[in-house]
Amino acid sequence: AQSVTQLDSQVPVFEEAPVELRCNYSSSVSVYLFWYVQYPNQGLQLLLKYLSGSTLVKGINGFEAEFNKSQTSFHLRKPSVHISDTAEYFCAVSFGFQKLVFGTGTRLLVSP
Amino acid sequence: DAGITQSPRYKITETGRQVTLMCHQTWSHSYMFWYRQDLGHGLRLIYYSAAADITDKGEVPDGYVVSRSKTENFPLTLESATRSQTSVYFCASSEEGQGAGNTIYFGEGSWLTVV
């Protein structure tokens, strides 16, 4: 079955600390991978996506993600977070040309 | 650059009433989508439309009706609202479909509470 798993529902972190938000998927077909961010009371916006090529993808606001095909993962990282990074982060996987599936989201809470 | 506009942003309605959530996009994107966001479920696709007068069911279509007479508008109607339809609803659009690496652009959401 095709699925997307974000195991961490909430990740608390102190300002200027590094963070990693985990995303795993299961699929027997080729995939395209996304991270979307949702700031409070707003819609989702694209943070970054992996289509092909280099497995390390850089996005907006200093975030990056690495596609690991053998581990079927697409973890999101930032070396130093800011208060303004507090938001909900959704991993999404496009399975082939048809279906886009969102994970359940990870709430990143950055405190001073 | 208005993008996607949803209205109303906040709505409280009673069980059994009909409710319509409006969605308007200014990009002339072919595809439009309605998602609902619930705690523990992430985003789930309700309906989508590939073009004017072409609509299709998503993952959770029961209890909802859509129409798309014009490319820029994609209203979502709850014919007889139930408490289980209390949720945040997002309208979205894209140039192509939701697959194959295409970026989806989201509106700011409509918070619906059914009492």
Side-chain angles (χ1 to χ4, degrees), chain B residues 39-77:
Chain B
L39 197 63
H41 290 281
L43 274 77
R44 293 180 291 175
L45 182 65
I46 304 171
Y47 268 96
Y48 68 98
S49 168
D53 297 321
I54 301 175
T55 62
D56 208 347
K57 295 178 180 179
E59 184 184 352
V60 288
D62 293 343
Y64 302 96
V65 174
V66 293
S67 62
R68 194 164 176 209
S69 57
K70 293 184 178 181
T71 301
E72 61 267 29
N73 297 325
F74 191 41
L76 175 74
T77 298

Side-chain angles (χ1 to χ4, degrees), chain A residues 3-48:
Chain A
S3 65
V4 181
T5 302
Q6 291 181 251
L7 283 175
D8 303 310
S9 59
Q10 191 166 291
V11 173
V13 64
F14 288 109
E15 193 174 20
E16 298 182 6
V19 70
E20 178 179 83
L21 306 183
R22 297 180 294 167
C23 175
N24 289 86
Y25 65 92
S26 64
S27 176
S28 57
V29 300
S30 60
V31 295
Y32 303 95
L33 302 156
F34 305 78
W35 277 98
Y36 283 85
V37 59
Q38 182 182 27
Y39 297 106
N41 297 320
Q42 294 185 25
L44 283 72
Q45 63 183 85
L46 182 69
L47 202 55
L48 50 80

